């Protein structure tokens, strides 16, 4: 309906299957992707883009290549930088040149994080570098053979950026997400649960399976 849409993607165990389904639909019923622009919400810092766990790599192989999206219409934050403040500003600037985000697709962490915006992140935060959950930090460190103390982290659009999207889709599945989905949807709007801010967005849909929505 809007061939030149600007669409934000997220990586993860919930969104990966969504991307796979989209690729299968495109293969069976091709549609025009020559003008759409996709971007990733966040990225792991201080890894190679060729690392299979980087957001760049996953979205490239899950969405961009399967949908024949021109590479110039694929916007991602960098994985490495000597000046992360400047890198974040350039990322925001590249998106701003495309106009307002039409659709932002989100997953949700077990602690309520969206992107790498962990609990305690200001609702007014714009693009920045944050930390990742300990289990993810350890997994990436082992997979990339990064030494102990290597500054692995996450660069991410901030909550303020996310809330400026025209439309948001939050997806979750599985029993482990039931408690946090209840907190995000029906709990108080608090920075302790970053996803709770989505209650205030004028056009946000939450998609859950029976297990993730069991406590709603």
């Amino acid at each position: 309906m809007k061939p030149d849409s600007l669409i934000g993607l997220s990586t993860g165990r919930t969104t990966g299957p969504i991307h796979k389904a989209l690729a299968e639909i495109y293969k069976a019923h091709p549609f025009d992707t020559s003008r759409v622009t996709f971007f990733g919400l966040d990225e792991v810092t201080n890894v190679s883009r060729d690392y299979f766990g980087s957001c760049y790599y996953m979205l490239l192989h899950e969405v961009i290549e399967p949908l024949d999206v021109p590479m110039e219409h694929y916007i991602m934050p960098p994985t490495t930088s000597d000046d992360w403040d400047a890198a974040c500003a350039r990322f925001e600037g590249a998106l701003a040149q495309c106009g307002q985000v039409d659709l932002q697709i989100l997953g949700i962490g077990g602690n309520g994080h969206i992107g790498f915006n962990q609990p305690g992140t200001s609702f007014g935060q714009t693009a920045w570098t944050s930390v990742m959950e300990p289990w993810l930090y350890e997994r990436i460190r082992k997979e990339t053979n990064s030494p102990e103390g290597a500054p692995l982290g996450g660069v991410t659009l901030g909550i303020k950026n996310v809330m400026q999207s025209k439309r948001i889709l939050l997806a979750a599945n599985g029993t482990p997400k039931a408690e946090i989905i209840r907190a995000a949807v029906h709990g108080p709007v608090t920075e302790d649960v970053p996803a709770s801010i989505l209650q205030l967005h004028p056009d946000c849909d939450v998609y859950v399976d029976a297990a993730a929505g069991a406590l709603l």
Side-chain angles (χ1 to χ4, degrees), residues 20-182:
K20 182 179 179 180
L22 178 61
E24 290 173 350
I25 291 170
Y26 176 78
K27 185 177 180 179
H29 308 283
F31 47 89
D32 181 18
T33 59
S34 63
R35 296 167 57 199
V36 64
T37 297
F38 287 104
F39 67 92
L41 175 68
D42 52 14
E43 182 58 280
V44 180
T45 62
N46 296 313
V47 299
S48 168
R49 276 188 164 178
D50 294 328
Y51 163 52
F52 66 86
S54 76
C55 299
Y56 177 92
Y57 183 98
M58 286 188 280
L59 295 178
L60 178 67
H61 291 277
E62 292 176 1
V63 178
I64 304 305
E65 291 184 343
L67 269 62
D68 299 319
V69 176
M71 285 301 294
E72 60 268 26
H73 291 180
Y74 180 35
I75 302 174
M76 288 293 295
T79 56
T80 60
S81 176
D82 294 328
D83 186 340
W84 282 109
D85 288 341
C88 288
R90 285 193 295 270
F91 180 44
E92 284 188 333
L95 295 180
Q97 289 183 348
C98 299
Q100 188 177 5
V101 176
D102 293 290
L103 173 64
Q104 175 66 64
I105 300 174
L106 299 173
I108 182 172
N111 60 5
H113 73 78
I114 48 178
F116 278 111
N117 296 290
Q118 302 288 354
T121 301
S122 168
F123 286 154
Q125 181 68 55
T126 54
W128 67 306
T129 52
S130 181
V131 298
M132 61 181 65
E133 294 170 287
W135 67 268
L136 180 60
Y137 181 96
E138 287 301 320
R139 192 194 79 188
I140 292 176
R141 185 178 62 79
K142 291 177 181 177
E143 290 176 349
T144 58
N145 293 317
S146 298
E148 290 280 359
L152 297 174
V155 58
T156 182
L157 288 180
I159 296 173
K160 181 178 180 178
N161 303 113
V162 171
M163 290 294 287
Q164 290 171 339
S165 306
K166 292 180 183 177
R167 185 182 179 200
I168 296 174
L169 187 160
L170 176 71
N173 57 20
T175 301
K177 295 294 176 68
E179 287 283 358
I180 197 62
I181 282 293
R182 178 172 63 177

